[in-house]
Amino acid sequence: MRIAQVAPLAESVPPKLYGGTERVVAWLIDELVNLGHEVTLFASGDSKTSAQLHAVWPRALRLGRPRTDPMVATAALLEAVARHATEFDVIHTHIDWLHLPLLSRLGAPFLTTCHGRMDLPGFSDVVRRFPDAPFVSISDNQRRPLNEANWLGTVYHGLPNDLFRPSFEPGSYLAFLGRLTAEKGPEAAIRIARAVKMPLRIAAKVPRGERNYFKEKLEPQIDGAQVQLTGEVNDETKRQFLAGAAALLFPIDWPEPFGLVMIEAMACGTPVIAFNSGSVPEVIDNGLTGFVVPGEAEAIQAIGRLSELDRRQVRRHFEKRFTAARMAQDYVRHYEALSKLNEGEAHAGYRPALSKNPVPDRLPAK
C-alpha cells in the first residue's frame, strides 16, 4: 500500500529527546516499511526515517532556533498533505484535529490517531462536525469521553522488540520517567519512595509552563541523594535507567491515554506500580507485569510485593502484547479496510462499516 504518515512538527521523527508521539510514529513507519509498504512521512526536515521524507519545515519547532510560529509551520504541513493527498491509498494523521476540514473534503481515505486526552472542552463539538471522520484510539479508555466519534477500533502502542535489552536482576531504586507536571504524580512518587526508604531517580523534562511548579513543589525535595533528578534521557540512557530499577512508579492523576513509559519499562523486564486511572488497567496485567493500585498507601504495600513478580515474565508479556510489529499489523488491517471501502464508494462522506467496539460503562479491572 501507499501510506502517508503525517506527524506533528514540534519534534523530529524520531525525537532527539522527549516526544512520545513522534517516537511511536517512527516505530510504526519502520515496521510498515519492513512489511513492504511504500510509506511517505510528512514531518520536519531533521527527521530520520526509513520512509520517503517529505520535509515541510526545516527543523522541529521545540528545539529549533529562531523560534517559529507553530501555526505558520502547520499551514505548510497541511498544504503539503493536500497537494499530494491523491497519491496515497490511505493517509494516517497524528496531528489531532487540524486536518479534519481539509481531508474530509478531498475524498482520500484517512484515519486519525489522537495521542492525547479526549475529555477537554470543545472536543465533542469538533467530533459532531465531522461524524464520518474515522478515528483509532490508543486505549479503550481514551475514547470514552467521545464515544459518538467514528471509532474504528483501538490499537495499542508498540515498540521495537530489540530496542531495549531486559535485565532480570532485581533493581536497586525506584524510577519515575515523564513530564514533571502535577498530573503525572512526581510528588506522590517522592512520598512513596520516602515511605519505603528507597532511592528515587527521576528522568524527566520540565515543561516551559511548569517551571514554577517545579521550583516550588519539586526542587526543594530533590536532595541529590535519596531523590535524584537526571534530566531528559535518550533511548540508550533510558534503557539503563529503566533496566536498573526495581520498579517504575506511575502515580498518575489524570486519564492517561496510553502511557508509553509503562511498556518501555516492561520491555526492560521492569515491573510497573501504577495508579488505576486512564489506560493503566488495559496496559498493566495486575500481579503479572506490575500492580494496579488505587493510591499511595497501596503503592507502598505493592513495593513490598515486588519479589512476587518474575521479570522474565514481564518481558515475555511485553513481547506478546506491545511490540511495534503487532502495532503495525493492527493498523494495516484498518488501512486495508478503509482503502477497499473507498474504492467501493462513489460518493464522499462515507462512514466505514467496521467494528465500532463501543466502550463499556465500566472497564474490567485487571
Side-chain angles (χ1 to χ4, degrees):
M1 297 185 71
R2 298 167 301 165
I3 303 166
Q5 296 288 335
V6 183
L9 297 177
E11 308 286 348
S12 61
V13 177
K16 302 293 188 296
L17 293 169
Y18 187 85
T21 298
E22 294 81 4
R23 189 164 277 109
V24 169
V25 171
W27 294 332
L28 173 60
I29 286 171
D30 287 344
E31 292 297 334
L32 291 173
V33 171
N34 287 340
L35 289 171
H37 298 286
E38 182 181 330
V39 185
T40 299
L41 169 64
F42 292 84
S44 63
D46 52 345
S47 298
K48 307 294 183 184
T49 179
S50 56
Q52 179 178 338
L53 177 62
H54 189 114
V56 299
W57 206 254
R59 289 182 56 81
L61 302 183
R62 184 170 78 91
L63 300 178
R65 298 292 185 274
R67 293 198 177 278
T68 301
D69 183 339
M71 298 308 294
V72 173
T74 301
L77 173 64
L78 293 176
E79 165 60 18
V81 173
R83 187 181 295 272
H84 296 277
T86 58
E87 300 172 11
F88 304 106
D89 297 311
V90 67
I91 300 170
H92 187 176
T93 70
H94 305 268
I95 56 174
D96 294 331
W97 317 98
L98 298 175
H99 58 286
L100 291 178
L102 181 68
L103 294 186
S104 294
R105 288 166 171 78
L106 290 180
F110 75 95
L111 76 160
T112 301
T113 298
C114 291
H115 293 257
R117 62 192 298 174
M118 310 290 284
D119 61 340
L120 299 179
F123 280 17
S124 59
D125 295 330
V126 172
V127 165
R128 281 195 290 270
R129 294 173 188 269
F130 303 96
D132 300 313
F135 290 87
V136 170
S137 53
I138 57 178
S139 68
D140 289 345
N141 186 275
Q142 183 200 31
R143 53 186 159 120
R144 178 177 287 171
L146 295 177
N147 202 33
E148 70 272 25
N150 184 21
W151 296 109
L152 305 185
T154 291
V155 175
Y156 295 124
H157 288 336
L159 55 90
N161 194 57
D162 58 355
L163 181 65
F164 295 133
R165 295 190 313 276
S167 172
F168 303 130
E169 298 298 322
S172 58
Y173 56 87
L174 300 172
F176 178 93
L177 175 60
R179 288 180 288 113
L180 291 181
T181 62
E183 64 187 13
K184 291 286 190 176
E187 293 175 83
I190 293 172
R191 289 191 294 268
I192 292 166
R194 291 196 188 281
V196 297
K197 295 181 172 56
M198 286 186 67
L200 175 68
R201 295 186 184 178
I202 301 173
K205 66 178 267 189
V206 182
R208 190 176 298 112
E210 300 290 340
R211 287 174 182 166
N212 288 340
Y213 168 74
F214 174 76
K215 289 287 185 183
E216 295 174 7
K217 301 293 186 180
L218 300 179
E219 193 171 48
Q221 303 187 69
I222 299 173
D223 56 18
Q226 183 178 12
V227 181
Q228 301 177 25
L229 176 64
T230 65
E232 291 190 69
V233 290
N234 58 29
D235 282 342
E236 179 53 31
T237 55
K238 182 187 294 185
R239 189 209 74 80
Q240 298 171 0
F241 175 79
L242 291 172
L248 171 76
L249 297 182
F250 199 66
I252 57 170
D253 186 26
W254 75 302
E256 174 69 64
F258 182 78
L260 189 62
V261 65
M262 291 190 286
I263 68 170
E264 290 175 328
M266 290 160 56
C268 295
T270 302
V272 181
I273 298 175
F275 286 4
N276 189 1
S277 184
S279 66
V280 164
E282 298 177 58
V283 177
I284 301 302
D285 285 84
N286 191 43
L288 179 64
T289 57
F291 295 106
V292 180
V293 298
E296 292 181 32
E298 293 81 6
I300 292 168
Q301 295 173 1
I303 291 172
R305 298 177 56 199
L306 287 173
S307 61
E308 299 175 17
L309 303 180
D310 182 348
R311 292 176 72 108
R312 287 179 172 80
Q313 189 77 317
V314 174
R315 169 68 190 195
R316 283 194 290 268
H317 214 63
F318 154 76
E319 293 173 352
K320 178 181 178 181
R321 297 190 61 201
F322 296 115
T323 64
R326 189 274 311 150
M327 172 177 64
Q329 291 163 1
D330 287 351
Y331 272 122
V332 166
R333 283 192 282 271
H334 291 303
Y335 298 161
E336 291 174 343
L338 282 170
S339 180
K340 291 176 182 177
L341 187 59
N342 190 62
E343 291 173 0
E345 292 287 343
H347 62 278
Y350 63 88
R351 187 176 183 89
L354 301 176
S355 173
K356 297 282 289 180
N357 295 328
V359 180
D361 291 337
R362 293 178 59 88
L363 292 172
K366 297 219 178 175

